[in-house]
Amino acid sequence: MNVLLDHLTEFREGFIGTLLLTIASGLLAMLLGVIIAGFRVSPVPPLRLLGTVWVTLFRNTPLTLLFLVAWFVVPVIFVPGLSPWTKALLALSFYTSAFICEAVRSGINTVPVGQAEAARSLGMTFTQTLRLIVLPQATRTVIPPLSSIFIALTKNSAIAGAFSVTELFGVQKLLSDQGFAIAWIFLWVALGYLVITFSISGLFRLVERRLGVAR
């Protein structure tokens, strides 16, 4: 308990850092994932190819390697001067978006083809059909896998601590280097992650129940 009370500021900053990084990267990954899923089911071949390449590349690349690319390649070739937090945001978002894309695409495939055909017969464009007809129906199917993806995102954010980003898992390295009992440090860090992951799980269960009632 003394480890927590004596270093409450470090634990609080780490917890808030993990929470903010999870929320921000989750929102960006969700946006990218839905867009790429739209590309994957698009009638335009170049968009389908782009979606396939995106998913294949990011889903099969180790997350640590993406962090290294964000730190040492992106600033040199693309955008120099990015903060460590922004680099971690990009690495986590791009990686997670590939998994969200596949979850959303699986949900889209559960919607009967006749729904899209009926929308097209009414003169709706592909984008309108996807946004107004297909995605709302696919949401119920997508919610459960999204919960697991966002929980995995929370745990994946621990890698950012090794790249000078303030987050919860980085606190254990700071305190263990100072000679504190590592078992107690890991206990409080684990409890912090449990609070975030249980909150995510509870939020998605609430959304799932509401959609179940609506159905």
Side-chain angles (χ1 to χ4, degrees):
M1 181 63 75
N2 289 337
V3 174
L4 176 64
L5 296 178
D6 294 342
H7 299 276
L8 188 60
T9 300
E10 288 87 344
F11 278 104
R12 183 179 67 248
E13 290 178 353
F15 180 83
I16 293 174
T18 295
L19 184 62
L20 292 178
L21 187 58
T22 299
I23 293 174
S25 57
L27 291 175
L28 181 56
M30 189 70 186
L31 175 63
L32 290 172
V34 172
I35 292 174
I36 299 301
F39 288 174
R40 293 273 277 159
V41 298
S42 170
V44 182
L47 291 181
R48 289 201 306 272
L49 177 61
L50 175 60
T52 301
V53 170
W54 182 284
V55 171
T56 303
L57 176 63
F58 288 110
R59 194 171 62 167
N60 295 289
T61 302
L63 181 55
T64 304
L65 179 58
L66 290 180
F67 268 87
L68 292 173
V69 170
W71 250 256
F72 300 110
V73 177
V74 171
V76 175
I77 300 179
F78 299 104
V79 185
L82 293 176
S83 67
W85 193 88
T86 303
K87 294 174 186 176
L89 170 69
L90 293 176
L92 286 168
S93 300
F94 282 26
Y95 179 79
T96 307
S97 68
F99 294 91
I100 292 178
C101 168
E102 289 302 274
V104 173
R105 187 172 71 93
S106 297
I108 290 174
N109 289 336
T110 64
V111 179
V113 179
Q115 298 283 333
E117 293 176 346
R120 283 196 296 269
S121 68
L122 294 174
M124 298 177 69
T125 64
F126 170 77
T127 303
Q128 290 174 327
T129 302
L130 190 65
R131 180 170 58 89
L132 300 175
I133 305 298
V134 177
L135 284 179
Q137 297 183 67
T139 301
R140 299 187 186 97
T141 308
V142 171
I143 291 299
L146 283 184
S147 176
S148 299
I149 292 172
F150 278 98
I151 289 174
L153 169 61
T154 303
K155 293 182 286 186
N156 288 337
S157 68
I159 298 177
F163 292 87
S164 304
V165 177
T166 301
E167 55 82 44
L168 190 56
F169 194 75
V171 175
Q172 65 82 23
K173 184 178 185 304
L174 173 66
L175 297 183
S176 61
D177 288 345
Q178 297 178 12
F180 291 95
I182 194 168
W184 286 105
I185 297 172
F186 273 115
L187 173 63
W188 295 118
V189 169
L191 287 176
Y193 278 108
L194 284 174
V195 169
I196 298 176
T197 55
F198 280 0
S199 298
I200 292 173
S201 179
L203 176 62
F204 275 91
R205 279 201 303 269
L206 177 62
V207 172
E208 194 173 359
R209 282 200 301 268
R210 286 183 175 272
L211 290 176
V213 171
R215 188 160 95 185

PDB file of all heavy atoms in Angstrom, residues 12-29:
ATOM      1  N   ARG A  12      -1.348   7.945 -10.822  1.00  0.00           N
ATOM      2  CA  ARG A  12      -2.465   8.697 -11.388  1.00  0.00           C
ATOM      3  C   ARG A  12      -2.137   9.175 -12.798  1.00  0.00           C
ATOM      4  O   ARG A  12      -2.961   9.051 -13.712  1.00  0.00           O
ATOM      5  CB  ARG A  12      -2.806   9.882 -10.488  1.00  0.00           C
ATOM      6  CG  ARG A  12      -4.030  10.673 -10.994  1.00  0.00           C
ATOM      7  CD  ARG A  12      -4.387  11.831 -10.088  1.00  0.00           C
ATOM      8  NE  ARG A  12      -3.355  12.859 -10.094  1.00  0.00           N
ATOM      9  CZ  ARG A  12      -2.578  13.147  -9.061  1.00  0.00           C
ATOM     10  NH1 ARG A  12      -2.718  12.482  -7.921  1.00  0.00           N
ATOM     11  NH2 ARG A  12      -1.670  14.095  -9.134  1.00  0.00           N
ATOM     12  N   GLU A  13      -0.949   9.728 -12.982  1.00  0.00           N
ATOM     13  CA  GLU A  13      -0.565  10.193 -14.311  1.00  0.00           C
ATOM     14  C   GLU A  13      -0.484   9.031 -15.304  1.00  0.00           C
ATOM     15  O   GLU A  13      -0.881   9.158 -16.471  1.00  0.00           O
ATOM     16  CB  GLU A  13       0.783  10.917 -14.237  1.00  0.00           C
ATOM     17  CG  GLU A  13       0.707  12.261 -13.515  1.00  0.00           C
ATOM     18  CD  GLU A  13       2.066  12.928 -13.415  1.00  0.00           C
ATOM     19  OE1 GLU A  13       3.070  12.277 -13.796  1.00  0.00           O
ATOM     20  OE2 GLU A  13       2.127  14.078 -12.959  1.00  0.00           O
ATOM     21  N   GLY A  14       0.033   7.891 -14.847  1.00  0.00           N
ATOM     22  CA  GLY A  14       0.102   6.723 -15.723  1.00  0.00           C
ATOM     23  C   GLY A  14      -1.271   6.208 -16.096  1.00  0.00           C
ATOM     24  O   GLY A  14      -1.525   5.846 -17.252  1.00  0.00           O
ATOM     25  N   PHE A  15      -2.178   6.175 -15.110  1.00  0.00           N
ATOM     26  CA  PHE A  15      -3.541   5.714 -15.375  1.00  0.00           C
ATOM     27  C   PHE A  15      -4.243   6.643 -16.359  1.00  0.00           C
ATOM     28  O   PHE A  15      -4.867   6.178 -17.324  1.00  0.00           O
ATOM     29  CB  PHE A  15      -4.330   5.665 -14.059  1.00  0.00           C
ATOM     30  CG  PHE A  15      -5.754   5.207 -14.211  1.00  0.00           C
ATOM     31  CD1 PHE A  15      -6.062   3.853 -14.260  1.00  0.00           C
ATOM     32  CD2 PHE A  15      -6.787   6.130 -14.320  1.00  0.00           C
ATOM     33  CE1 PHE A  15      -7.369   3.429 -14.408  1.00  0.00           C
ATOM     34  CE2 PHE A  15      -8.097   5.719 -14.469  1.00  0.00           C
ATOM     35  CZ  PHE A  15      -8.389   4.364 -14.513  1.00  0.00           C
ATOM     36  N   ILE A  16      -4.132   7.947 -16.139  1.00  0.00           N
ATOM     37  CA  ILE A  16      -4.766   8.904 -17.049  1.00  0.00           C
ATOM     38  C   ILE A  16      -4.137   8.811 -18.434  1.00  0.00           C
ATOM     39  O   ILE A  16      -4.837   8.890 -19.461  1.00  0.00           O
ATOM     40  CB  ILE A  16      -4.642  10.331 -16.487  1.00  0.00           C
ATOM     41  CG1 ILE A  16      -5.471  10.470 -15.205  1.00  0.00           C
ATOM     42  CG2 ILE A  16      -5.094  11.366 -17.521  1.00  0.00           C
ATOM     43  CD1 ILE A  16      -5.298  11.799 -14.497  1.00  0.00           C
ATOM     44  N   GLY A  17      -2.802   8.614 -18.490  1.00  0.00           N
ATOM     45  CA  GLY A  17      -2.131   8.483 -19.777  1.00  0.00           C
ATOM     46  C   GLY A  17      -2.629   7.281 -20.558  1.00  0.00           C
ATOM     47  O   GLY A  17      -2.897   7.372 -21.760  1.00  0.00           O
ATOM     48  N   THR A  18      -2.766   6.152 -19.878  1.00  0.00           N
ATOM     49  CA  THR A  18      -3.289   4.951 -20.535  1.00  0.00           C
ATOM     50  C   THR A  18      -4.727   5.152 -20.987  1.00  0.00           C
ATOM     51  O   THR A  18      -5.122   4.755 -22.092  1.00  0.00           O
ATOM     52  CB  THR A  18      -3.207   3.742 -19.582  1.00  0.00           C
ATOM     53  OG1 THR A  18      -1.835   3.452 -19.316  1.00  0.00           O
ATOM     54  CG2 THR A  18      -3.865   2.519 -20.190  1.00  0.00           C
ATOM     55  N   LEU A  19      -5.540   5.773 -20.132  1.00  0.00           N
ATOM     56  CA  LEU A  19      -6.945   5.997 -20.453  1.00  0.00           C
ATOM     57  C   LEU A  19      -7.093   6.898 -21.674  1.00  0.00           C
ATOM     58  O   LEU A  19      -7.850   6.596 -22.605  1.00  0.00           O
ATOM     59  CB  LEU A  19      -7.656   6.602 -19.242  1.00  0.00           C
ATOM     60  CG  LEU A  19      -9.166   6.808 -19.364  1.00  0.00           C
ATOM     61  CD1 LEU A  19      -9.877   5.481 -19.568  1.00  0.00           C
ATOM     62  CD2 LEU A  19      -9.710   7.519 -18.125  1.00  0.00           C
ATOM     63  N   LEU A  20      -6.356   8.011 -21.688  1.00  0.00           N
ATOM     64  CA  LEU A  20      -6.455   8.951 -22.810  1.00  0.00           C
ATOM     65  C   LEU A  20      -5.935   8.326 -24.106  1.00  0.00           C
ATOM     66  O   LEU A  20      -6.527   8.513 -25.172  1.00  0.00           O
ATOM     67  CB  LEU A  20      -5.671  10.231 -22.494  1.00  0.00           C
ATOM     68  CG  LEU A  20      -6.243  11.116 -21.385  1.00  0.00           C
ATOM     69  CD1 LEU A  20      -5.345  12.318 -21.147  1.00  0.00           C
ATOM     70  CD2 LEU A  20      -7.659  11.570 -21.736  1.00  0.00           C
ATOM     71  N   LEU A  21      -4.837   7.582 -24.005  1.00  0.00           N
ATOM     72  CA  LEU A  21      -4.281   6.946 -25.200  1.00  0.00           C
ATOM     73  C   LEU A  21      -5.234   5.886 -25.742  1.00  0.00           C
ATOM     74  O   LEU A  21      -5.409   5.758 -26.961  1.00  0.00           O
ATOM     75  CB  LEU A  21      -2.925   6.318 -24.866  1.00  0.00           C
ATOM     76  CG  LEU A  21      -2.118   5.738 -26.037  1.00  0.00           C
ATOM     77  CD1 LEU A  21      -1.849   6.808 -27.085  1.00  0.00           C
ATOM     78  CD2 LEU A  21      -0.815   5.138 -25.540  1.00  0.00           C
ATOM     79  N   THR A  22      -5.879   5.149 -24.857  1.00  0.00           N
ATOM     80  CA  THR A  22      -6.844   4.128 -25.282  1.00  0.00           C
ATOM     81  C   THR A  22      -8.050   4.771 -25.957  1.00  0.00           C
ATOM     82  O   THR A  22      -8.498   4.308 -27.013  1.00  0.00           O
ATOM     83  CB  THR A  22      -7.306   3.295 -24.075  1.00  0.00           C
ATOM     84  OG1 THR A  22      -6.181   2.640 -23.488  1.00  0.00           O
ATOM     85  CG2 THR A  22      -8.329   2.252 -24.493  1.00  0.00           C
ATOM     86  N   ILE A  23      -8.591   5.826 -25.356  1.00  0.00           N
ATOM     87  CA  ILE A  23      -9.769   6.485 -25.924  1.00  0.00           C
ATOM     88  C   ILE A  23      -9.449   7.102 -27.284  1.00  0.00           C
ATOM     89  O   ILE A  23     -10.181   6.911 -28.267  1.00  0.00           O
ATOM     90  CB  ILE A  23     -10.305   7.557 -24.958  1.00  0.00           C
ATOM     91  CG1 ILE A  23     -10.858   6.904 -23.693  1.00  0.00           C
ATOM     92  CG2 ILE A  23     -11.382   8.406 -25.632  1.00  0.00           C
ATOM     93  CD1 ILE A  23     -11.268   7.893 -22.615  1.00  0.00           C
ATOM     94  N   ALA A  24      -8.343   7.859 -27.351  1.00  0.00           N
ATOM     95  CA  ALA A  24      -8.002   8.552 -28.599  1.00  0.00           C
ATOM     96  C   ALA A  24      -7.683   7.572 -29.718  1.00  0.00           C
ATOM     97  O   ALA A  24      -8.194   7.705 -30.842  1.00  0.00           O
ATOM     98  CB  ALA A  24      -6.816   9.489 -28.358  1.00  0.00           C
ATOM     99  N   SER A  25      -6.845   6.579 -29.434  1.00  0.00           N
ATOM    100  CA  SER A  25      -6.500   5.609 -30.472  1.00  0.00           C
ATOM    101  C   SER A  25      -7.693   4.733 -30.836  1.00  0.00           C
ATOM    102  O   SER A  25      -7.850   4.326 -31.989  1.00  0.00           O
ATOM    103  CB  SER A  25      -5.321   4.744 -30.022  1.00  0.00           C
ATOM    104  OG  SER A  25      -5.598   4.093 -28.805  1.00  0.00           O
ATOM    105  N   GLY A  26      -8.585   4.471 -29.866  1.00  0.00           N
ATOM    106  CA  GLY A  26      -9.787   3.696 -30.151  1.00  0.00           C
ATOM    107  C   GLY A  26     -10.724   4.435 -31.097  1.00  0.00           C
ATOM    108  O   GLY A  26     -11.275   3.840 -32.033  1.00  0.00           O
ATOM    109  N   LEU A  27     -10.895   5.735 -30.867  1.00  0.00           N
ATOM    110  CA  LEU A  27     -11.765   6.522 -31.738  1.00  0.00           C
ATOM    111  C   LEU A  27     -11.201   6.614 -33.153  1.00  0.00           C
ATOM    112  O   LEU A  27     -11.927   6.453 -34.141  1.00  0.00           O
ATOM    113  CB  LEU A  27     -11.962   7.923 -31.156  1.00  0.00           C
ATOM    114  CG  LEU A  27     -12.780   8.013 -29.869  1.00  0.00           C
ATOM    115  CD1 LEU A  27     -12.780   9.443 -29.334  1.00  0.00           C
ATOM    116  CD2 LEU A  27     -14.206   7.530 -30.091  1.00  0.00           C
ATOM    117  N   LEU A  28      -9.896   6.878 -33.251  1.00  0.00           N
ATOM    118  CA  LEU A  28      -9.278   6.970 -34.577  1.00  0.00           C
ATOM    119  C   LEU A  28      -9.292   5.618 -35.282  1.00  0.00           C
ATOM    120  O   LEU A  28      -9.571   5.535 -36.487  1.00  0.00           O
ATOM    121  CB  LEU A  28      -7.839   7.483 -34.444  1.00  0.00           C
ATOM    122  CG  LEU A  28      -7.060   7.647 -35.757  1.00  0.00           C
ATOM    123  CD1 LEU A  28      -7.806   8.551 -36.730  1.00  0.00           C
ATOM    124  CD2 LEU A  28      -5.662   8.197 -35.472  1.00  0.00           C
ATOM    125  N   ALA A  29      -9.014   4.550 -34.530  1.00  0.00           N
ATOM    126  CA  ALA A  29      -9.045   3.206 -35.120  1.00  0.00           C
ATOM    127  C   ALA A  29     -10.446   2.846 -35.585  1.00  0.00           C
ATOM    128  O   ALA A  29     -10.616   2.195 -36.623  1.00  0.00           O
ATOM    129  CB  ALA A  29      -8.538   2.182 -34.105  1.00  0.00           C
TER     130      ALA A  29
END
